[in-house]
């Protein structure tokens, strides 16, 4: 993400305790949404520099002005929302023209592991993961809302799960 932007207004949807937002420094006006009220309280108490900008709820319940964010991020979130179409519609409305929508930590429903393990795949969880996207169908869904792919990467080798000798 830092390859594409160095300052602006950032919204982290599903911001948890604000840790990701804390990494962006003062060059960004930082905002977040989070469903868990105790985690919202944690962020407000532990990150006074932006904690007042953390809101309880999902993106659909916000009152942000349209075209007000340079970046909207969803890290491990899109697979949990009940209505991805509604969520992406809101993302597209809140992003400035040429704004960046950053998705990461989303299970790949077309991955080798998903195909190999199928219903035993550890990321196949019909209660927690309501949707199982592939890079292709996620791109198609995003394009529906004029959110165009500029870059993608599969960072498995840079995770603690990687074991190149055995994989």
């Amino acid at each position: 993400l830092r390859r594409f932007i160095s300052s602006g207004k950032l919204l982290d949807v599903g911001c948890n305790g604000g840790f990701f937002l804390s990494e962006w420094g003062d060059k960004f006006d930082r905002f977040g949404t989070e469903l868990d009220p105790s985690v919202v309280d944690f962020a407000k108490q532990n990150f006074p520099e932006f904690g007042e900008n953390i809101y309880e709820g999902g993106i659909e319940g916000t009152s942000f002005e349209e075209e007000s964010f340079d970046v909207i991020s969803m890290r491990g979130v899109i697979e949990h929302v009940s209505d991805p179409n509604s969520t992406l519609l809101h993302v597209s409305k809140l992003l400035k023209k040429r704004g960046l929508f950053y998705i990461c930590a989303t299970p790949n429903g077309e991955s080798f592991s998903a195909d190999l393990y199928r219903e035993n795949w550890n990321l196949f969880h019909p209660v927690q993961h309501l949707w199982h996207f592939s890079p292709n169908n996620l791109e198609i869904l995003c394009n529906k809302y004029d959110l165009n792919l500029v870059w993608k990467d599969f960072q498995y080798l840079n995770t603690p799960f990687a074991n190149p000798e055995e994989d």
Side-chain angles (χ1 to χ4, degrees):
L1 189 53
R2 292 184 196 274
R3 292 180 188 184
F4 299 99
I5 193 162
S6 58
S7 65
K9 192 172 176 182
L10 167 66
L11 172 63
D12 188 22
V13 178
C15 70
N16 195 284
F19 303 105
F20 180 73
L21 290 170
S22 73
E23 296 295 319
W24 289 93
D26 295 336
K27 290 187 177 183
F28 284 86
D29 294 324
R30 295 165 281 176
F31 295 80
T33 63
E34 175 55 50
L35 297 177
D36 185 336
S38 65
V39 177
V40 171
D41 290 341
F42 176 90
K44 288 179 181 291
Q45 292 172 11
N46 289 280
F47 297 108
E49 62 276 19
F50 60 83
E52 71 278 357
N53 297 334
I54 306 294
Y55 300 94
E56 185 181 334
I59 192 172
E60 294 87 353
T62 63
S63 59
F64 297 121
E65 291 184 26
E66 290 189 8
E67 297 186 29
S68 58
F69 291 96
D70 299 290
V71 179
I72 297 177
S73 61
M74 296 181 79
R75 299 163 304 103
V77 171
I78 191 75
E79 67 274 16
H80 297 278
V81 302
S82 60
D83 185 352
N85 281 291
S86 175
T87 299
L88 293 178
L89 175 64
H90 280 81
V91 166
S92 69
K93 287 181 178 182
L94 294 177
L95 268 179
K96 292 179 181 178
K97 299 291 183 219
R98 304 196 46 83
L100 299 170
F101 178 40
Y102 176 69
I103 300 176
C104 71
T106 300
N108 179 354
E110 286 186 352
S111 68
F112 175 76
S113 294
D115 188 47
L116 178 67
Y117 295 110
R118 300 180 188 269
E119 66 276 355
N120 294 319
W121 182 41
N122 65 353
L123 295 173
F124 177 72
H125 195 288
V127 174
Q128 291 180 1
H129 291 164
L130 304 177
W131 307 99
H132 295 91
F133 294 102
S134 70
N136 185 49
N137 67 21
L138 188 55
E139 183 178 359
I140 290 168
L141 182 60
C142 287
N143 286 342
K144 182 176 175 181
Y145 300 99
D146 294 323
L147 301 166
N148 303 304
L149 179 67
V150 293
W151 181 65
K152 71 178 172 184
D153 191 9
F154 300 95
Q155 300 178 13
Y156 173 73
L157 293 176
N158 298 322
T159 70
F161 308 106
N163 187 340
E165 292 80 29
E166 293 182 18
D167 293 343

